[in-house]
Amino acid sequence: MLAQSAATVSAAENTPSSNLTGKWMSGEYHTHTIQSSDASESFMKLENVLDAAFREDLGNKPAETVTSLTYGDPFDFIVLSDHLRNSPRDPDGRDKPTARWEAIKDQLDKFTSLQDAGKYKGKSIYSGFEWDMMGLDHGSVGIIDSESNKVPIEAIHQFEWLYSYDTTPGMFHSNEEELWGARPDKNTLKPDKNKTFKAIEWLKTNYPESYVLLNHPSRHNGGTGVVTIEDIRKMNDLAPEIVFGMEGLPGNQMAAGGNRSELVDIYGGADVMVAKVGGMWDAMLGEGRHFWNFTNSDFHFKVSSNRNYSSGYWPSEYSRNNTWVEGNTFKDIVKGMRSGKSYAVYGDLINALDFKATGNGNQAEMGENLQVTEGDLTTISIRFKSPEHNNYAPISSHVTSVTNDVKVDHVDLISGEVTGKIDESQYASNTTNATTKVIKRFTKDDWGQPDADGYYTVSYKVPADTNRYYRLRGTNLGTDVAGFTVNGEPLQDQSFNSEQNDEERFNNINDRNYTGLWFYSNPIFVNVAALSDEQAVTDTIANVTSTLGDTSAIMSNIPLPSEGLHGTRIEWKSSNVNIIRIDKNNAIVTRPSSGMGDVSITLTATISRGDQSIDKPYTFIVRAYPSNSSSDNSSSKPNVSVTGSGGTAAADSNGNVTITPDKGYQVKDVTINGISKGALTQLTGLKSSDQVVVTFEKLPEKPTEPSKPTEPTKPTEPAQPAVTFSDISNHWAASSINYVVEHALFTGTAANTFSPNETMTRGMLVTVMHRLAGKPEAGSNQFKDVNANAYYSDAAAWASQNNIVNGVDRTHFAPDQSITREQLAQMIFNYAKANKLNVNVNQSLVAFTDANKISTWAVDAMKWSVSNHLLSGEGNGILDPTGAVSRAEAAAIINRFMVTFNM
């Protein structure tokens, strides 16, 4: 008897997975080697297949392999899935007829010796097999021993004895019948679908961490061996942790049989079950089944050495699964696949994807469930990267318009309702989900320019109405491309048959595959808890009360929410519009003069949803201006203040006020005791109890308005020579620091140091903003604490005069004071407004537990910064608005701002 198991090659397999951080890994679980009878090419020896997958020793491959592996990353893992039939050869291609279980032992010995020789370091290699399911088509099987990280050879031996009809009896030479019972003959075993279910049950009982994933399920539609949705549902019912997915983006993409991948029912290279919106996969997702879509190469050879046949692409050449893995063993990889946090892609259309749904303070990713309340807004976030090139290369020289350039044309957000598990009597008839639709199509107009990390970003809000799921698909094709798409839906793939000469057929198939590239994500499920209109309004009242906080000492404008929780609407009214008026859901405050004293105002919020509406009053105490304490002790000198900047206003002891606009400004309005008097420049006859407020505005011509930088966002030459800073080499913000230094916005604190963790000051930040604007000229400096020779002198004057930032009072700028996160957000927000960039604010901050700590004047700026991914939380739902900003953080945020808005 053989030993019970043989080792799998897996990086650092003895390290506990719980000690590791999760990571994205790419790979596949269905590829063949020369040990499959239908992969007989001499270049299909095991080492060549692994070299392709992991991009090692590619120069050693013979020319007839037709390998194109220039772009894309090496795989991180691979599962070898030779047929569970007689094996004709050993891993090097020498004749050696054996059963599959013995061939796998040879396979394990071979790649163990290769890794011992220094190859495939850090890679995970496992031996599974492709199973001819009884009465059905194929499945990829990985038998996993819960007690070991090794491939369980004897388990495969037993499974092959019991459930492989194509392994001939003569290949078994031990006491199998004595150990495991009599083996049915092929004609009895092959058509018996019930034996397939028994085999899955056997795995569930003995090896519950194993998997059976269905290969090309629609290949035999209309014929013997067809895998129906009824079959899939029954297998998933029997063992949901084992039968948890299918090869919806099948391999063998170079095959000529059928239309593509040996399938007739295939659309854009995807199995009809997956490709049809509202089709069979959506029907299963509509039941709430955690059943996932994957891709594989199903590689046997690319082009045969006699140039008569073609089959599929080499591992890592065309198709790949990207899976989130928490750990470093093959079991951890399977757990990642089982979780559903995985997406499948052809032709490296994308090489990174973050797909999330957030709502009600919770978050879910692919394969997960999000719990929200009816009426809540669910935010769908999509971030993806796309490489510049893929591995397209002609099979042989010919005229073609196909290139290896990669560009995503659009991404579809697809959603369907989840109505629950159907009765088994409907398993065969219920094959569609009519509620499934493309609810939003995103294009480059939605995702714009990539951020500092190279990601394109889209955010989309949908109301939580009922239980549903969301999934993505994307393509490089337009919505209407002859022969490929109509209204954004993929057309059935064209067949290239043997009537063409072989070279023409190879090139046509290859060109078609690279012309139409697709990716598909697995879904996110959103569960919606019902909520009455009455409770929605009650929850909103509590939330508004908490958000407003203390209203007993109001001295400035206050933002008022217009949207409440769970889809409620809020409208506001003021009891005294002379003191507080409502303007677009902002409370505009006019403080009483000192002679009037503090004033109590009632703001009434009308909160409504559906038929429920409640008026909730809130009392605001608006503080009066303090008594004038000027040294002349005159009783006739009125109180004068200026809102914002743009000029000065001076009062004398005779009750006169002289108003002087700065250059480029004019008087917009003057109020006396809260009553507008228009655009006056001289007032007379005022008393000491009178309160005058002056507002200036820029003239139509704005000579001092900050201008956008004239340098391109990504200059071909750095704006200044590159500097190597010794203190940022391993810093998380190194790339952003280099970016802003190259654009001459930041400098080091010394010749070779940047001091990334040093606090950013107000003086530093206005200097950066001034440089970003192109260093426009500024007027005289009004601040007593800004020395005319200080490096930030011109910047402080410019920032003040252009409403980028004001002083801490009229005569002090506090240049050495640390910048807080909300102050930085406000300065960038003001700069964006001055440059007429998009400053629309629709981002909710409810996901942050400390949102009520944001100063009222900074709320819009913080919302805008978060919605544009300039600012993110500190983790655990903390936004930290008053926290100090380091030089590294400031560099990263400025970098993101420049890239996002193409500055």
Side-chain angles (χ1 to χ4, degrees):
M1 295 294 292
L2 290 172
Q4 284 291 315
S5 58
T8 176
V9 180
S10 180
E13 68 179 35
N14 294 321
T15 304
S17 61
S18 60
N19 293 338
L20 296 180
T21 304
K23 56 188 176 296
W24 285 103
M25 298 179 70
S26 68
E28 63 164 290
Y29 57 83
H30 179 195
T31 191
H32 294 266
T33 75
I34 202 165
Q35 289 184 281
S36 285
S37 58
D38 51 2
S40 59
E41 294 290 344
S42 60
F43 55 72
M44 284 297 297
K45 66 179 184 177
L46 176 63
E47 185 173 5
N48 280 343
V49 174
L50 297 179
D51 282 351
F54 303 129
R55 307 289 179 89
E56 297 188 16
D57 296 331
L58 297 181
N60 295 340
K61 283 189 170 50
E64 65 263 29
T65 62
V66 194
T67 307
S68 178
L69 293 166
T70 305
Y71 296 98
D73 293 324
F75 274 173
D76 301 299
F77 69 89
I78 195 168
V79 184
L80 305 172
S81 300
D82 291 301
H83 292 289
L84 191 67
R85 306 170 185 165
N86 295 346
S87 175
R89 292 170 285 272
D90 72 5
D92 291 315
R94 294 182 291 265
D95 289 343
K96 186 179 181 181
T98 63
R100 177 58 50 204
W101 62 274
E102 287 189 295
I104 286 176
K105 185 179 183 303
D106 290 342
Q107 193 175 85
L108 292 168
D109 291 342
K110 178 64 178 181
F111 61 63
T112 298
S113 68
L114 290 170
Q115 198 167 55
D116 287 344
K119 302 192 76 169
Y120 320 131
K121 184 178 180 181
K123 304 299 182 179
S124 183
I125 310 168
Y126 201 81
S127 288
F129 52 83
E130 184 170 26
W131 175 35
D132 299 298
M133 296 186 292
M134 285 72 75
L136 300 168
D137 202 352
H138 297 164
S140 286
V141 179
I143 300 183
I144 297 175
D145 185 352
S146 298
E147 304 301 322
S148 170
N149 286 326
K150 297 178 179 179
V151 176
I153 293 294
E154 203 61 9
I156 299 171
H157 184 182
Q158 184 175 356
F159 190 93
E160 188 170 11
W161 169 263
L162 294 173
Y163 305 115
S164 170
Y165 56 77
D166 259 340
T167 305
T168 57
M171 291 296 174
F172 295 99
H173 48 75
S174 187
N175 58 338
E176 289 90 353
E177 183 168 354
E178 179 183 335
L179 289 171
W180 304 314
R183 182 169 184 260
D185 63 72
K186 177 176 180 177
N187 293 334
T188 302
L189 189 59
K190 182 176 180 178
D192 189 355
K193 190 185 297 185
N194 288 328
K195 280 287 189 180
T196 293
F197 294 109
K198 287 185 178 180
I200 293 171
E201 181 121 32
W202 182 88
L203 288 171
K204 179 180 177 181
T205 301
N206 297 286
Y207 298 93
E209 295 188 65
S210 302
Y211 63 82
V212 177
L213 303 177
L214 310 177
N215 295 342
H216 37 69
S218 296
R219 183 168 66 165
H220 294 297
N221 281 357
T224 303
V226 59
V227 181
T228 68
I229 191 172
E230 179 183 19
D231 299 320
I232 298 174
R233 282 171 166 146
K234 287 182 176 179
M235 286 187 276
N236 181 246
D237 283 349
L238 179 63
E241 297 297 301
I242 291 178
V243 187
F244 57 80
M246 63 180 173
E247 194 180 85
L249 270 64
N252 255 325
Q253 290 284 312
M254 280 292 296
N259 288 341
R260 186 169 171 179
S261 192
E262 300 181 287
L263 277 72
V264 173
D265 292 322
I266 192 163
Y267 297 75
D271 190 298
V272 65
M273 288 188 174
V274 167
K276 289 293 184 180
V277 173
M280 284 181 269
W281 189 34
D282 287 313
M284 295 182 67
L285 297 179
E287 294 183 76
R289 292 179 187 267
H290 282 206
F291 191 81
W292 317 128
N293 170 60
F294 300 102
T295 188
N296 292 290
S297 69
D298 192 7
F299 178 60
H300 294 73
F301 57 88
K302 187 173 179 180
V303 177
S304 62
S305 55
N306 62 12
R307 307 294 285 194
N308 289 335
Y309 309 101
S310 59
S311 177
Y313 294 100
W314 287 81
S316 86
E317 184 176 3
Y318 184 74
S319 59
R320 70 176 63 225
N321 299 294
N322 289 281
T323 301
W324 181 258
V325 179
E326 296 181 355
N328 57 11
T329 68
F330 181 69
K331 287 181 188 176
D332 296 317
I333 292 171
V334 175
K335 286 178 184 176
M337 293 164 56
R338 188 179 287 116
S339 76
K341 191 172 178 181
S342 181
Y343 63 95
V345 59
Y346 283 151
D348 290 320
L349 177 62
I350 62 172
N351 55 4
L353 176 66
D354 289 333
F355 175 34
K356 300 176 182 177
T358 57
N360 205 20
N362 301 313
Q363 176 178 290
E365 302 185 55
M366 287 178 284
E368 295 180 339
N369 290 62
L370 174 68
Q371 183 63 57
V372 298
T373 303
E374 182 185 359
D376 287 345
L377 284 177
T378 302
T379 300
I380 305 297
S381 301
I382 305 165
R383 297 178 71 233
F384 68 91
K385 288 184 182 181
S386 185
E388 293 183 2
H389 303 292
N390 60 22
N391 287 309
Y392 171 77
I395 304 300
S396 57
S397 179
H398 69 290
V399 177
T400 180
S401 60
V402 183
T403 72
N404 68 346
D405 296 335
V406 178
K407 186 177 181 181
V408 179
D409 181 84
H410 63 269
V411 175
D412 290 334
L413 177 62
I414 300 169
S415 182
E417 295 181 9
V418 177
T419 53
K421 200 84 170 286
I422 63 173
D423 187 80
E424 191 170 346
S425 62
Q426 298 179 293
Y427 276 16
S429 60
N430 189 321
T431 60
T432 60
N433 185 345
T435 68
T436 308
K437 301 287 187 297
V438 175
I439 64 171
K440 181 65 177 178
R441 178 161 289 151
F442 302 105
T443 68
K444 62 182 180 181
D445 291 336
D446 298 294
W447 59 67
Q449 296 298 314
D451 63 18
D453 297 319
Y455 280 91
Y456 297 95
T457 303
V458 173
S459 182
Y460 185 66
K461 295 182 183 297
V462 289
D465 53 355
T466 188
N467 295 340
R468 58 175 60 248
Y469 61 88
Y470 297 92
R471 63 180 179 91
L472 302 177
R473 72 175 179 192
T475 182
N476 66 328
L477 296 168
T479 55
D480 294 278
V481 178
F484 288 88
T485 57
V486 170
N487 295 325
E489 296 303 316
L491 293 174
Q492 190 173 27
D493 281 296
Q494 176 186 356
S495 177
F496 295 100
N497 55 42
S498 58
E499 294 177 3
Q500 300 169 319
N501 70 64
D502 294 332
E503 294 300 318
E504 181 183 12
R505 184 173 76 252
F506 299 156
N507 280 313
N508 282 337
I509 295 171
N510 187 49
D511 285 1
R512 174 201 60 192
N513 294 345
Y514 276 98
T515 297
L517 304 176
W518 295 82
F519 80 83
Y520 284 77
S521 82
N522 282 315
I524 301 171
F525 293 90
V526 177
N527 302 325
V528 180
L531 189 76
S532 67
D533 293 339
E534 180 180 6
Q535 187 62 51
V537 171
T538 300
D539 289 351
T540 296
I541 290 173
N543 181 260
V544 171
T545 302
S546 173
T547 302
L548 289 176
D550 184 8
T551 59
S552 63
I554 303 302
M555 292 183 287
S556 59
N557 297 344
I558 305 168
L560 300 172
S562 61
E563 295 180 351
L565 301 178
H566 320 310
T568 53
R569 299 289 304 167
I570 308 173
E571 296 181 353
W572 294 88
K573 291 183 180 179
S574 171
S575 64
N576 186 340
V577 296
N578 291 323
I579 302 298
I580 299 181
R581 63 183 174 87
I582 310 299
D583 182 11
K584 296 180 181 177
N585 291 294
N586 284 296
I588 309 301
V589 176
T590 302
R591 293 177 64 183
S593 64
S594 58
M596 294 176 63
D598 298 346
V599 176
S600 176
I601 304 294
T602 299
L603 295 188
T604 301
T606 300
I607 302 169
S608 58
R609 193 184 91 163
D611 296 330
Q612 186 73 20
S613 181
I614 293 179
D615 289 339
K616 172 63 177 177
Y618 294 92
T619 300
F620 290 71
I621 307 298
V622 182
R623 288 287 182 87
Y625 280 92
S627 299
N628 193 313
S629 57
S630 59
S631 59
D632 62 10
N633 295 317
S634 169
S635 61
S636 300
K637 189 173 183 178
N639 294 286
V640 180
S641 63
V642 174
T643 300
S645 60
T648 59
D652 63 26
S653 59
N654 296 317
N656 302 318
V657 175
T658 300
I659 301 169
T660 306
D662 290 338
K663 182 180 179 180
Y665 286 81
Q666 63 186 5
V667 179
K668 180 180 181 181
D669 191 29
V670 177
T671 64
I672 301 176
N673 300 327
I675 300 173
S676 174
K677 299 297 183 180
L680 304 177
T681 57
Q682 190 70 43
L683 305 176
T684 60
L686 299 175
K687 304 184 295 294
S688 62
S689 60
D690 289 328
Q691 177 63 49
V692 178
V693 179
V694 182
T695 305
F696 296 97
E697 64 180 356
K698 290 183 179 180
L699 291 167
E701 295 294 329
K702 305 179 179 65
T704 60
E705 180 172 321
S707 59
K708 294 182 181 179
T710 57
E711 293 294 327
T713 302
K714 296 181 179 178
T716 54
E717 294 291 336
Q720 64 181 41
V723 178
T724 301
F725 297 115
S726 60
D727 56 351
I728 69 165
S729 59
N730 294 314
H731 199 279
W732 63 268
S735 62
S736 289
I737 291 169
N738 288 329
Y739 184 94
V740 295
V741 169
E742 288 176 0
H743 284 76
L745 302 182
F746 282 60
T747 60
T749 55
N752 295 308
T753 58
F754 185 81
S755 303
N757 300 320
E758 183 179 307
T759 301
M760 192 78 174
T761 67
R762 287 166 57 85
M764 292 176 185
L765 189 55
V766 291
T767 302
V768 169
M769 302 304 293
H770 190 222
R771 292 168 180 164
L772 181 61
K775 295 184 179 180
E777 293 183 3
S780 59
N781 207 315
Q782 65 183 20
F783 300 113
K784 295 179 180 179
D785 58 349
V786 175
N787 189 296
N789 296 322
Y791 73 89
Y792 47 74
S793 176
D794 288 346
W798 164 82
S800 174
Q801 292 158 15
N802 290 280
N803 292 322
I804 305 302
V805 64
N806 295 320
V808 294
D809 58 38
R810 288 187 56 78
T811 59
H812 293 83
F813 186 78
D816 298 322
Q817 188 179 98
S818 297
I819 278 284
T820 66
R821 287 162 64 83
E822 65 180 8
Q823 289 170 352
L824 183 145
Q826 187 67 50
M827 283 185 65
I828 300 177
F829 186 62
N830 291 342
Y831 184 91
K833 287 193 291 186
N835 281 280
K836 296 182 172 58
L837 303 178
N838 185 354
V839 291
N840 293 334
V841 175
N842 56 13
Q843 173 78 36
S844 171
L845 300 177
V846 295
F848 299 103
T849 58
D850 59 346
N852 61 343
K853 295 181 181 179
I854 301 171
S855 301
T856 53
W857 49 264
V859 170
D860 282 350
M862 292 293 277
K863 288 181 177 179
W864 175 81
S865 297
V866 171
S867 66
N868 284 286
H869 304 287
L870 308 183
L871 211 62
S872 59
E874 300 280 26
N876 298 319
I878 302 299
L879 193 53
D880 193 21
T882 58
V885 177
S886 70
R887 285 168 54 82
E889 289 170 328
I893 292 167
I894 295 293
N895 182 189
R896 293 169 195 152
F897 172 65
M898 293 174 68
V899 172
T900 299
F901 291 95
N902 197 26
M903 300 299 294

